[in-house]
Amino acid sequence: MLLGAQALPAWARTFASAGAGAVRRPDTLPFPHLPAGTASMPEIKHIVVLMMENHSFDNMLGMVPHRVPGRAGVDGLTLKHGKPVNSNPDRHGHHVRSRHDSSPCQLPTDPSQSWNASHQSYDRGRNDGFVRASGPIAMRFWDERDIPFTYSLVKHFPIGQRFFSSTLCQTYPNRRFFFTGTASGLISTDNTTFTIPAANGTIWDRLDAHNINWAVYFQNLPTFLIVPGQATAGRASRLRNFTSFVPDVAAGKLPQFTFVEPNYTTTSQENPQDIQLGEEFIAQVVRALMRAPTWKHTALFITYDEHGGYYDHVPPPRAIKPDSIAPILKPGDRPGAYDRYGFRLPLVVVSPWAKPGYVSGVTQDLTSLDAFIERKWNLPAMTFRDANAHPMTDY
């Protein structure tokens, strides 16, 4: 249900008074007049999320408006005389411009996406601290010469140009936002995650509670295990090696919800991997789904978990805090809260029902994926963040 501002915590009242309107609480339903578990969107029977690693929108799709016919209006990198003019100053004040990387093999000296580096890169909305945080490597990008399959998808299928990570920091906190609607205080990719349970359950709990069939297909690691308590005996059949993905899909055995995970040492596109190996993995997933008997009722969301330290020119806007749990900051950590999104991420929606050529300018984040799932099956929200996230129905 929608609650008036007077019924909300102080920080949620502030968000509502800033123009967000009515605010939904955790554990409420997208359709409160219907029983939980009631399906909507009958044209979509299968939702698939493929989440890659560590790249910003400008880093992977910044050249789309200049290289893909019909996409001139996409908010990517700015060119002058055919060359990008976006830049960030280094520690000496010299400006380093965005430039195409000469190799798809990323350098082992990867840019930093830590809490401090991300907040330094953001620099109070100026987005001019990427080079100071990580060096010139942060300004590199790839285009259709390096990732032709991704650019072919962008030519035909809708993309999100205001799709953000959920917080200004690393992989684990952002993936936990997708899995649980909150980072529960986490700001780093470290073993702290294994000591912090989900504040109000997980998306997997919601699916199980209403008998929604789901599976995680992984190559070397199912990352939903970063949330304690998820590896139960009853879920053993939910965890499947990716080698069974293509035959399962071809046989019409695609679950109602599927989370696909790459190999985090070879195909996730994280540093220092060859991004073309990840490109091949994306193509394998897409082609398998398109050839399957379930394709006519499938929606695939291809995105990344965070920006990887790579430059993006759009400052992330403010966001509703997921709950009252503050970031666990140590001496030397920059001040901050979970009241702002992280940097923009690439997002492509691949489906026979997706709007051809559409570009979404709606502010969304990783919990918008949860909101789409919750809307599909009328599932209760986990936190304030997913309860109030845009459900991505515009695609």
Side-chain angles (χ1 to χ4, degrees):
M1 61 183 294
L2 293 174
L3 300 179
Q6 71 278 2
L8 301 171
W11 50 265
R13 289 200 301 271
T14 300
F15 182 81
S17 65
V23 174
R24 269 184 60 205
R25 281 186 175 274
D27 295 313
T28 58
L29 301 174
F31 304 106
H33 60 288
L34 296 174
T38 302
S40 64
M41 296 186 283
E43 65 273 25
I44 302 298
K45 297 180 181 179
H46 306 275
I47 299 172
V48 183
V49 173
L50 168 56
M51 189 173 290
M52 305 294 282
E53 286 261 286
N54 297 30
H55 289 278
S56 71
F57 186 96
D58 279 345
N59 176 246
M60 298 294 262
L61 301 182
M63 292 298 287
V64 165
H66 314 292
R67 301 291 174 80
V68 180
R71 295 300 207 179
V74 171
D75 189 4
L77 296 169
T78 300
L79 301 191
K80 187 174 183 180
H81 304 303
K83 295 183 178 181
V85 297
N86 302 74
S87 67
N88 262 203
D90 62 18
R91 297 179 186 275
H92 305 289
H94 303 130
H95 276 261
V96 178
R97 287 191 176 186
S98 294
R99 70 177 181 86
H100 178 252
D101 201 315
S102 60
S103 170
C105 298
Q106 300 170 93
L107 297 176
T109 54
D110 58 308
S112 176
Q113 70 278 47
S114 70
W115 173 274
N116 282 352
S118 296
H119 284 77
Q120 182 179 8
S121 299
Y122 170 67
D123 193 18
R124 300 183 181 182
R126 289 184 282 267
N127 279 32
D128 65 359
F130 287 89
V131 175
R132 290 193 298 272
S134 297
I137 190 176
M139 302 304 294
R140 297 186 181 187
F141 65 84
W142 290 273
D143 57 26
E144 83 288 352
R145 291 168 287 183
D146 316 288
I147 47 174
F149 185 82
T150 295
Y151 269 64
S152 71
L153 290 178
V154 169
K155 181 178 180 180
H156 301 284
F157 292 101
I159 61 177
Q161 64 175 5
R162 287 296 182 272
F163 186 81
F164 297 87
S165 60
S166 293
T167 180
L168 281 163
C169 55
Q170 292 179 306
T171 288
Y172 281 8
N174 276 293
R175 284 187 177 250
R176 285 189 64 125
F177 260 99
F178 173 54
F179 299 152
T180 73
T182 175
S184 293
L186 199 69
I187 67 167
S188 302
T189 297
D190 59 35
N191 288 337
T192 305
T193 188
F194 302 114
T195 68
I196 303 176
N200 191 30
T202 66
I203 191 65
W204 323 109
D205 297 333
R206 301 298 194 268
L207 295 167
D208 279 343
H210 298 284
N211 299 312
I212 309 300
N213 184 28
W214 62 273
V216 175
Y217 286 89
F218 66 98
Q219 287 198 304
N220 70 330
L221 176 68
T223 58
F224 89 125
L225 296 179
I226 67 174
V227 182
Q230 298 308 297
T232 63
R235 288 179 173 170
S237 64
R238 306 290 193 189
L239 298 180
R240 305 172 187 176
N241 192 280
F242 184 74
T243 55
S244 65
F245 178 77
V246 174
D248 282 356
V249 170
K253 297 178 181 179
L254 184 67
Q256 290 169 280
F257 174 66
T258 303
F259 186 53
V260 181
E261 306 209 53
N263 185 306
Y264 292 102
T265 59
T266 59
T267 63
S268 72
Q269 296 185 322
E270 185 176 6
N271 289 80
Q273 298 170 26
D274 181 338
I275 63 169
Q276 292 184 335
L277 295 179
E279 174 87 338
E280 183 179 7
F281 178 72
I282 293 172
Q284 186 179 7
V285 172
V286 173
R287 287 168 177 156
L289 292 172
M290 285 185 169
R291 293 166 180 167
T294 49
W295 168 241
K296 60 184 177 181
H297 295 298
T298 298
L300 166 64
F301 296 87
I302 303 172
T303 190
Y304 292 71
D305 53 18
E306 39 95 347
H307 74 295
Y310 287 113
Y311 169 78
D312 190 83
H313 76 277
V314 177
R318 294 189 68 83
I320 189 170
K321 290 198 291 185
D323 46 36
S324 59
I325 304 173
I328 303 171
L329 302 179
K330 300 175 182 176
D333 288 333
R334 292 187 174 224
Y338 300 123
D339 58 357
R340 185 171 301 283
Y341 297 113
F343 296 107
R344 285 195 308 170
L345 305 173
L347 175 80
V348 186
V349 181
V350 183
S351 173
W353 295 95
K355 299 175 184 175
Y358 177 66
V359 179
S360 176
V362 180
T363 298
Q364 299 159 342
D365 79 314
L366 294 172
T367 67
S368 291
L369 298 169
D370 295 306
F372 187 85
I373 296 166
E374 291 161 3
R375 186 179 180 90
K376 167 61 188 172
W377 290 294
N378 203 33
L379 303 178
M382 297 174 287
T383 69
F384 279 98
R385 181 67 73 83
D386 59 304
N388 295 283
H390 187 274
M392 307 183 77
T393 49
D394 58 319
Y395 295 91

